[in-house]
């Protein structure tokens, strides 16, 4: 249903489409496994992911302008943090 990669206090959260309706609950449960404040960097081309993070309590702390390149186009990176 979900994937949590924890390495060097970094957490990668991914939920397969079939279980996306449970994604908010799964993210909250992941903080029990990874009990540290979490920051994330999300390129602006993934606005739905940025909105999801904000709806789960992440606060935007900064925007790195034109730092992510995909298919020859540059995108901003939104930096968000969740205080556990």
């Amino acid at each position: 249903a979900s994937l949590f990669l924890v390495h060097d206090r970094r957490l990668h959260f991914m939920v397969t489409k079939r279980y996306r309706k449970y994604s908010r609950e799964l993210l909250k449960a992941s903080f029990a496994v990874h009990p540290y404040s979490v920051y994330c960097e999300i390129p602006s081309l993934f606005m739905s992911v940025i909105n999801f993070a904000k709806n789960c309590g992440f606060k935007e702390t900064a925007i790195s302008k034109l730092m992510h390149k995909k298919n020859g186009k540059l995108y901003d990176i939104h930096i968000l943090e969740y205080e556990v």
Side-chain angles (χ1 to χ4, degrees):
S2 59
L3 171 67
F4 305 103
L5 298 174
V6 180
H7 174 68
D8 193 29
R9 293 185 62 172
R10 294 181 186 193
L11 172 75
H12 178 81
F13 178 74
M14 186 180 99
V15 180
T16 57
K17 277 191 174 186
R18 181 176 172 190
Y19 296 99
R20 293 243 168 101
K21 62 184 171 187
Y22 305 109
S23 57
R24 190 169 281 119
E25 296 168 41
L26 291 167
L27 180 63
K28 297 289 184 184
S30 71
F31 292 136
V33 175
H34 186 75
Y36 304 100
S37 292
V38 175
Y39 85 96
C40 58
E41 297 178 356
I42 307 170
S44 61
L45 74 149
F46 301 117
M47 285 307 296
S48 62
V49 177
I50 292 168
N51 291 332
F52 168 75
K54 288 180 177 179
N55 287 334
C56 288
F58 281 80
K59 305 291 183 214
E60 192 165 302
T61 59
I63 296 177
S64 296
K65 295 289 186 183
L66 305 174
M67 296 295 291
H68 180 81
K69 189 173 188 177
K70 182 163 184 167
N71 297 328
K73 186 174 178 187
L74 290 171
Y75 296 91
D76 297 340
I77 294 178
H78 294 252
I79 301 169
L80 300 99
E81 185 173 5
Y82 184 89
E83 298 272 341
V84 178

